[in-house]
Amino acid sequence: MALAPFAADPALTRGRRYALASASNRGQRDEYQRDRDRIVHSIAFRRLRHKTQVFVAPDGDHFRVRLTHSLEVAQIGRTIARALDLNEDLTEALCLAHDIGHPPFGHAGEDALKEAMAGAGGFDHNAHTLRVLTRLESPYSHHPGLNLSWEMIEGLAKHNGPVADPPWALAEIDADWPLDLAGQPSLEAQVAALADDIAYDNHDIDDGIRAGLLSLDEARTVPLVAEGWEAARARWPDCSDSALRSELIRNQIGRMVADLLAESRRRIAVANPRSIADVHRAATPLIAFSPDMAAAERTLKRFMYARLYHHPQQVAVAEQAHVIVAGLARAYLSDPAMLPSEWAARLPADEPARTRHIGDFIAGMTDRYAVSRYREVIGPVDMPEGV
């Protein structure tokens, strides 16, 4: 497939921080395919299998976790990238990697870690994704990190837009290898950000209803969902509500993707970028929902926060998750000798590096490993079955 002139072209990459040690198989994969493969084969990516998406230790095999969510984001992202003649491989790699920096227990764990590390600059999961990929995940003997392409690192740094005040972890990486944080991200990164929204907006409805925390009737109070439901019912009048729910989710994703493609094509035509440099210089994002869809999507998000993410059952579990992560941070900060030997051996002598090292250890934990460590170093804790 021919790339648009404003797409990320692997032949024009700004390269990698470290020269590749070997030329073996170099002709079989381009730079962004290599990025994707390094993500897929990383330990950090595998750990997403046991990290919370919405539910901690969900009671059932059919609920999404960070890993399955990332795969769904990648599928949506590739679809959009192909339709716009963007680079599918870079888009896929960004989608697969975007959640790698999440600590155990999702946002509850992040809030606890941010508080525990306040004196050392705090914690931000997006910045930590880059810290993992450029510093901590080091399977190579000749350099730290995965040595991903500049476009990959830049896209992860800015997939939510230009960064005016980077957190300490991102500021360190930018100082080592400038990422043009004030410019717009590549269109592939912009696609990855909105593919993430499309995926969790819709799949969280599905999981919430499956878990019994949302009802279909409640979901249909949201105009976007109600319109989708009526359209699905008109098309398949004899379907059961259960079967129609799957059609609703599928069709709603399709509707949001179609809207994004139409609006993005309109913006690209107006801006008329001739190169990826023009994309970086653009005044506003070129990948976007239409104003109507953007407003409808914000309404859906408000509903999901009020009725699912802040559901009393979810809040109770999140409070326990906060206790676990905060407790582990206190324990390790007060007595670093309790760290596993390989982490204790690398413990920096001075602050803030010392606290950040302990934060790195906790952030890399899966949900169940965090519970296991808490029980080992602190004591019993009540959590859902399975962790």
Side-chain angles (χ1 to χ4, degrees), residues 279-326:
V279 171
H280 291 314
R281 289 191 291 264
T284 59
L286 301 182
I287 305 298
F289 293 122
S290 68
D292 287 348
M293 179 59 75
E297 195 262 349
R298 287 193 297 271
T299 298
L300 174 58
K301 272 190 170 66
R302 286 194 294 269
F303 168 83
M304 295 296 286
Y305 272 94
R307 306 301 284 272
L308 178 61
Y309 307 139
H310 294 162
H311 187 284
Q313 184 173 316
Q314 291 285 84
V315 170
V317 175
E319 288 172 351
Q320 280 298 93
H322 193 284
V323 166
I324 291 169
V325 174

Side-chain angles (χ1 to χ4, degrees), residues 113 192 196 368:
L113 204 51
D196 182 29
R368 63 184 185 178

